[in-house]
Amino acid sequence: MSFPLLPALSRVLASIDAPRNLRALYALLAAFCVAGLLLATAQSAAARGQEGLSAVWLGLALAVAFFGVNTTGLMLMDQARGLPVREPPDALSDALRCSHRVLIALVACLALAGAGVAVLAALLWATRWPFFGAPLLAVVLPAGVVLLGGLCFVVVILVGPLAGPAVWAGRRSGGVLAFLRTRLRHGLPETALLMATVYLLVALTTAAVSFVVVSGGKLLAGLAILGAGIELPARQLLAGVTGLGPRSFGASGMPLEGGNLG
């Protein structure tokens, strides 16, 4: 089963309209903020030698990020399908009920990939045997390269990007696996082209956001030095804007100097 490529490509390009779904954007930002706070708490606990508590906070951070992404995905899927976008509490409730399907589908796909890798490892071990070991190695090496490369390609292009949206569209775990199998057998080139377009859009968006943040931050740091009377070396202030803390200055070769913040 295939699909018209140009209409699908136009729908992918239309995904740049997704940030207008402010409720989904706020839900994603809120989830990442909470996950960031939990991650910082985990790092603080690890610095105090509380490894068990750090693992708990880290697990909570991953759970918040996972369910936050699924909550946002459900809201964006409503928008993509032309349905009324559900409220964030309703989306969170639905995410708590269906997000496990994503994990089940991913685990099933990874299990299949692991089985293929195990067979390849067994064949490589069998090349130790005399008489037919060398001919077997001559066959296994190129086949193994194709197998492992193909698995990585399928995971990056098909399984990773489409397992979540398939669940958000209402499929159960078995339906997700059937959908992925269909795309693998009958639509992998088209899917690869569409995902390449998605990755290009993500890269361009990331570059644009990075340019805005970095250029704006450095200009603001310069204005702060000139206008706010912050008696701090410019390099040190700009390093702080780029994310370096006092503990990082020594590692980066930048001397730490005192200053007056007014």
Side-chain angles (χ1 to χ4, degrees):
M1 181 179 63
S2 184
F3 53 87
L5 184 59
L6 291 181
L9 185 59
S10 66
R11 288 195 294 269
V12 169
L13 294 176
S15 64
I16 60 176
D17 191 54
R20 295 186 180 182
N21 191 336
L22 295 181
R23 285 180 292 182
L25 180 61
Y26 293 156
L28 183 64
L29 291 178
F32 280 173
C33 287
V34 174
L37 291 175
L38 292 173
L39 182 60
T41 305
Q43 292 176 339
S44 177
R48 296 193 301 268
Q50 300 173 338
E51 288 79 8
L53 186 59
S54 175
V56 172
W57 288 118
L58 179 60
L60 289 176
L62 294 176
V64 168
F66 175 72
F67 288 112
V69 168
N70 280 274
T71 299
T72 306
L74 288 170
M75 300 171 70
L76 292 177
M77 183 59 69
D78 290 340
Q79 179 183 3
R81 300 172 69 186
L83 301 175
V85 179
R86 67 195 81 186
E87 295 294 331
D90 297 332
L92 177 59
S93 177
D94 294 337
L96 293 174
R97 288 197 300 267
C98 70
S99 295
H100 66 280
R101 301 174 189 171
V102 179
L103 295 178
I104 293 175
L106 292 177
V107 169
C109 292
L110 292 178
L112 292 174
V117 173
V119 171
L120 178 61
L123 291 175
L124 288 173
W125 182 84
T127 58
R128 301 179 181 182
W129 294 351
F131 303 112
F132 64 88
L136 180 61
L137 183 62
V139 175
V140 170
L141 283 182
V145 170
V146 174
L147 174 64
L148 295 179
L151 286 176
C152 294
F153 182 80
V154 169
V155 168
V156 172
I157 295 297
L158 188 65
V159 176
L162 296 184
V167 171
W168 303 334
R171 288 184 173 89
R172 296 187 175 274
S173 300
V176 173
L177 295 177
F179 168 74
L180 295 176
R181 183 179 67 249
T182 301
R183 300 307 319 150
L184 178 62
R185 295 180 58 187
H186 303 292
L188 185 59
E190 295 89 346
T191 303
L193 178 60
L194 295 176
M195 289 311 307
T197 305
V198 171
Y199 289 142
L200 178 61
L201 291 176
V202 171
L204 293 176
T205 303
T206 303
V209 172
S210 299
F211 175 78
V212 170
V213 172
V214 173
S215 61
K218 290 190 175 182
L219 289 174
L220 181 60
L223 290 176
I225 294 173
L226 296 176
I230 299 177
E231 298 178 4
L232 199 65
R235 288 185 61 196
Q236 187 170 319
L237 182 58
L238 293 178
V241 171
T242 58
L244 290 177
R247 297 180 181 178
S248 305
F249 292 148
S252 62
M254 184 178 299
L256 179 62
E257 303 179 24
N260 179 19
L261 298 180

